């Protein structure tokens, strides 16, 4: 069984992002970039399925600038067999990414697509759902457990009321949540092996996809700074401030 795992290059989650002075976006010059954490969980889950014998090949896919090759090499160091880079300098929005992945899925014919539920830069949480709609495949989002057997995927997902278990007929789309697994540490020998693995580069035009943005960002600004808290001597003073100053009681 073949599995497709899309991965995104984002600003590392440990980095405090800064808004550009002209408010056109986030400053990523000389900023550490890494694989989106949710996508890292997706790669790990695909590798675990392969180790169980349920998967035969893992293909990592990334869309974006040339430096996305580093993200794909990381995915192959974790355990992906080969990679595809859809190279473009355009701003890619969720619908464009979903169309690109649809084209690749139709070409590669995977039985399962596992991707992170959202990217930590735009927090859109849209690509997996859009891809499922474009392909007409069943989907299970926010997965906290995935099992594959007999042409079906059984997915436990987190919902407001607790846990929900879905049975999907393959091919299907699964988006990963934080509690699905703990990604493994990438060792130096695996990093060296990843350099020899196959990495193909294509463009959106090669796939017949128009990746032009449909939405325009008008302004990016930092959230307003919060006022410092204060201490009150007793409950009576707290109630007085809530009533007379904050006017919430």
């Amino acid at each position: 069984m073949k599995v497709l795992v899309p991965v995104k290059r984002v600003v590392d989650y440990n980095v405090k992002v800064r808004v550009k002075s002209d408010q056109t976006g986030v400053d990523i010059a000389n900023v550490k970039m890494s694989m989106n954490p949710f996508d890292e969980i997706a790669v790990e889950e695909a590798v675990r399925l392969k180790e169980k014998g349920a998967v035969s090949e893992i293909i990592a896919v990334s869309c974006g600038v040339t430096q996305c090759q580093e993200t794909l090499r990381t995915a192959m160091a974790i355990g992906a067999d080969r990679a595809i880079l859809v190279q473009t300098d355009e701003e890619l929005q969720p619908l464009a990414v979903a169309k690109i992945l649809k084209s690749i899925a139709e070409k590669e014919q995977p039985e399962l697509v596992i991707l992170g539920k959202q990217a930590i830069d735009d927090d859109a949480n849209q690509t997996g759902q859009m891809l499922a709609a474009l392909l007409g495949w069943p989907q299970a989002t926010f997965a906290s457990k995935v099992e594959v057997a007999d042409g079906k995927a059984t997915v436990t997902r987190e919902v407001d009321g607790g846990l929900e278990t879905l049975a999907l007929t393959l091919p299907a789309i699964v988006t990963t949540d934080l509690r699905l697994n703990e990604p493994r540490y990438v060792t130096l020998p695996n990093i060296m092996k990843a350099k020899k693995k196959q990495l193909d580069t294509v463009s959106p035009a090669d796939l017949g996809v128009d990746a032009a943005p449909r939405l325009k960002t008008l302004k990016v600004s930092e959230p307003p700074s919060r006022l410092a808290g204060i201490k009150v001597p007793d409950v009576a003073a707290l109630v007085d401030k809530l009533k007379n100053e904050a006017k919430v009681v």
Side-chain angles (χ1 to χ4, degrees), residues 3-6 42-43 45-46 49 112-116 146 174-176 180:
V3 174
L4 194 69
V5 186
V43 176
E45 190 62 25
L49 290 172
L112 189 63
V113 178
I114 306 179
L115 66 161
V146 177
V174 173
T175 71
T176 62
L180 179 58

Side-chain angles (χ1 to χ4, degrees), residues 61-65 84-93 95-104 201-214:
V61 181
S62 191
C63 309
V65 296
I84 301 171
L85 170 61
V86 183
Q87 188 172 326
T88 177
D89 293 327
E90 282 198 77
E91 177 197 354
L92 290 174
Q93 295 174 349
L95 181 58
V97 175
K99 289 179 178 179
I100 288 170
L101 295 176
K102 173 181 181 285
S103 180
I104 292 174
T201 302
V202 296
S203 69
D206 295 334
L207 300 172
V209 175
D210 177 15
R214 264 58 175 182

Side-chain angles (χ1 to χ4, degrees), residues 180-198:
L180 179 58
N181 61 51
E182 182 74 29
R184 67 193 67 192
Y185 177 75
V186 180
T187 61
L188 181 59
N190 286 335
I191 292 173
M192 301 307 292
K193 289 177 185 176
K195 292 182 179 181
K196 298 179 181 179
K197 291 184 178 180
Q198 178 183 346

